[in-house]
Amino acid sequence: MSTLVEVLRPGFLLHDALVGSVLIGIVCPLVGVYFVLRRMIFLGVALPQLSAAGIAFALLLHRSMVGPHLHIAATDATLARVGAMVFTLGGILVLATLERRGRAIVEARIGVTYAIAGALTILFLAADPWGEAQMVNLLKGDLLATTEKSLTVLVAVLGAVVVTLFAFQKEFLLVSFDHDLAVVFGKAVGVWDATLYFVCGITISFGVLAAGPLVTFGFLVAPPLTARLLTRHMLSFSLAAAAIGGACAFTGFCLAYRYDMPLGPAEVAVACAVLLVVGAGAWVHQQLGRRAA
Amino acid sequence: MDLELAPGEFVALLGPNGAGKTTLLRGIVGLLSVLAGTIDYDFDRATSPIGYVPQREALDPTFPLTVHEVVLMGTYARLPALRRPGRAERRLAAESLDLVGLGALAEERFGSLSGGQTQRVLIARALAAQPRLLVLDEPTAGVDTEATAAIMKVLTRLNRDQGLTVLLVTHHVRVLRGIANAVVWVQDGRATRRRLDDVLAPAELDVVPGGA
């Protein structure tokens, strides 16, 4: 209780990190809902890894062309954002194109993407010792390094993502649930698919930069899977996923602060624990229902 | 291939497996680009969308959607981007569901329905688009006799009472008796209009899986 009071009091030292955590906890599940519904969960692993590779590449490029970089400089953050977005959006573009052409099975494409991204991340880091320290922090989840400025950018970008998701929910649902019907209705299916992928890419890029690939993947997947066990409407599914994600991020933050644990892994562990508990509850409920029947 | 449908007709596409029935159907609704020739409609597809009922296996039953939400998707045909379904669209979806006799299941999970119920919900969704042409891809595949009869009854009523033009692919030839105005036999890259009685001859039934 004292931790809760301390965390919520005005002027709390890690206020920006707390807000950043909860924001990512809320927005990543809203995007993850579509990953789960489209049965592309593994894309949630591959894309954050691709984003990390983009960051490593951007830092390496900076060192090669400009010289050693200072990781506290604003240009580094901008560079990292550009690298993350280019790699993530590029990866989405290639995967979406291959999906349309129906080449190889989806899991194989995503698996290869993950392997390539992982290998590239390590190779880029090996060539740039300055980048390595920053990337290690990033992979652990560097939410504690959130500043007022980076938080402002995060709020603006993720806020735009939320508005886009709710504004075009009808279109995103139609192309995700029944692609063919959307074509028959004459909808611009390619545009809506591209918009959805773009929103996913932006969320993942900024999520990885703020919290690391582990946290981003964890919140893309665990809260939507939990929410699906509890809801039966599309809107309530999205809202429940966001609420569960936000609550798990907040709880994880409090636990990490109270017990001096790494922040990102603590948040993901809470989200996964909630999924296990709700999953077990749903299973018991189902068994009881069968017996009663 | 030359095929013409008159308004208010009930036409079935028949033929052996792999003859191209579904391909023809997908070309008609715009899911496949036609490599040569043209497909013309006597209505504006932008203002009068085609009501399309896909094979139910094409849809993921694990989506968290109620029956009403699925039917409501039919109204998206006429809704521009940024406009959410309002009271009028919800009423239209409810009426469409009533037309197929499943109004009581509106709040059930779509994924929990039987095969026959799922097909009728998809017909209701197509009706919510307020189409002039209803196109169905094997609506009776994998459903029992009772459900098949219920589906055909709904389609017959829509065709006779509301003047809806119906085009469907089916392997259940016998259920078309007394319902279809004509059948189109698809084989070897040709579509030929025939009388249903000719197709119901025992020799033809041998090449229509499920037709006997």
Side-chain angles (χ1 to χ4, degrees):
Chain A
M1 191 65 191
S2 62
T3 306
L4 196 63
V5 172
E6 198 175 343
V7 162
L8 291 176
R9 78 177 153 76
F12 174 55
L13 186 65
L14 299 174
H15 175 265
D16 291 340
L18 173 63
V19 175
S21 286
V22 174
L23 194 60
I24 287 170
I26 290 171
V27 181
C28 279
L30 286 175
V31 169
V33 155
Y34 291 97
F35 281 28
V36 171
L37 291 179
R38 288 181 162 219
R39 297 177 182 246
M40 299 194 306
I41 288 176
F42 285 115
L43 205 56
V45 191
L47 291 179
Q49 189 60 52
L50 209 51
S51 183
I55 296 168
F57 179 74
L59 296 176
L60 174 63
L61 198 67
H62 185 278
R63 184 187 175 239
S64 309
M65 298 179 73
V66 183
H69 39 84
L70 298 169
H71 295 304
I72 51 169
T75 49
D76 270 355
T78 308
L79 199 66
R81 272 182 210 128
V82 172
M85 278 195 287
V86 168
F87 269 59
T88 309
L89 295 175
I92 286 177
L93 190 69
V94 171
L95 288 170
T97 307
L98 291 175
E99 187 186 354
R100 290 211 146 205
R101 292 182 181 177
R103 298 229 174 117
I105 52 174
V106 178
E107 288 84 353
R109 285 193 293 263
I110 296 173
V112 169
T113 305
Y114 177 76
I116 292 171
L120 286 178
T121 307
I122 293 167
L123 289 172
F124 293 149
L125 289 179
D128 177 19
W130 279 277
E132 193 166 351
Q134 179 153 322
M135 282 303 291
V136 169
N137 283 336
L138 201 62
L139 292 170
K140 280 195 302 183
D142 203 12
L143 274 163
L144 291 176
T146 306
T147 61
E148 197 178 334
K149 194 175 175 187
S150 66
L151 184 63
T152 306
V153 174
L154 197 64
V155 169
V157 171
L158 295 188
V161 165
V162 172
V163 170
T164 308
L165 286 174
F166 280 101
F168 299 120
Q169 195 211 14
K170 172 172 110 272
E171 285 74 22
F172 294 152
L173 174 62
L174 185 60
V175 294
S176 299
F177 180 66
D178 195 343
H179 199 268
D180 283 357
L181 188 67
V183 175
V184 173
F185 282 170
K187 304 289 181 187
V189 174
V191 172
W192 293 118
D193 266 339
T195 307
L196 182 58
Y197 284 140
F198 180 75
V199 166
C200 292
I202 292 286
T203 307
I204 289 169
S205 301
F206 280 81
V208 169
L209 265 170
L214 174 67
V215 176
T216 307
F217 171 60
F219 280 94
L220 278 173
V221 174
L225 287 176
T226 309
R228 201 162 73 157
L229 296 168
L230 301 169
T231 55
R232 50 196 289 161
H233 294 271
M234 186 61 200
L235 185 61
S236 58
F237 174 42
S238 295
L239 294 176
I244 291 167
C248 288
F250 182 78
T251 309
F253 188 96
C254 291
L255 290 173
Y257 182 72
R258 172 73 179 81
Y259 297 105
D260 195 21
M261 293 188 289
L263 179 54
E267 291 181 355
V268 174
V270 170
C272 292
V274 170
L275 172 60
L276 288 175
V277 170
V278 173
W283 183 80
V284 170
H285 184 260
Q286 195 180 29
Q287 296 303 314
L288 290 175
R290 276 186 190 166
R291 277 191 192 175
Chain B
M1 195 174 273
D2 191 11
L3 174 64
E4 193 172 330
L5 285 183
E9 270 195 313
F10 192 122
V11 176
L13 290 178
L14 300 176
N17 277 339
K21 302 183 294 294
T22 295
T23 305
L24 176 60
L25 197 83
R26 289 174 72 82
I28 290 170
V29 298
L31 285 168
L32 289 176
S33 302
V34 181
L35 293 174
T38 57
I39 296 174
D40 297 318
Y41 310 90
D42 70 345
F43 53 87
D44 181 3
R45 285 191 61 185
T47 55
S48 186
I50 292 175
Y52 177 59
V53 179
Q55 293 188 18
R56 69 174 193 280
E57 290 83 6
L59 302 177
D60 185 349
T62 66
F63 262 63
L65 292 168
T66 61
V67 166
H68 178 76
E69 284 174 313
V70 171
V71 178
L72 198 59
M73 270 183 215
T75 66
Y76 293 1
R78 293 166 184 272
L79 285 177
L82 289 174
R83 231 200 92 187
R84 286 177 169 273
R87 194 175 296 171
E89 283 76 24
R90 290 179 193 286
R91 195 174 55 237
L92 179 60
E95 287 168 0
S96 302
L97 204 49
D98 285 338
L99 275 174
V100 300
L102 293 179
L105 299 182
E107 288 309 311
E108 290 296 312
R109 273 187 74 116
F110 176 67
S112 69
L113 302 181
S114 69
Q117 288 171 335
T118 301
Q119 285 297 5
R120 281 155 71 191
V121 168
L122 295 178
I123 293 170
R125 185 181 68 164
L127 294 177
Q130 297 179 294
R132 291 174 61 183
L133 170 63
L134 182 63
V135 176
L136 307 97
D137 193 358
E138 300 202 33
T140 54
V143 298
D144 60 34
T145 314
E146 198 178 331
T148 297
I151 291 167
M152 295 312 291
K153 193 175 164 189
V154 166
L155 293 177
T156 309
R157 205 173 57 233
L158 291 169
N159 174 250
R160 289 187 183 160
D161 300 349
Q162 303 196 6
L164 194 63
T165 310
V166 178
L167 175 68
L168 61 84
V169 168
T170 186
H171 283 135
H172 290 151
V173 186
R174 291 195 193 283
V175 299
L176 297 170
R177 194 189 287 275
I179 299 174
N181 303 106
V183 295
V184 173
W185 187 262
V186 182
Q187 193 167 12
D188 301 328
R190 288 180 158 202
T192 321
R193 260 182 186 261
R194 296 173 69 164
R195 290 188 323 119
L196 183 62
D197 287 342
D198 293 344
V199 178
L200 284 172
E204 298 279 22
L205 289 176
D206 289 343
V207 292
V208 183

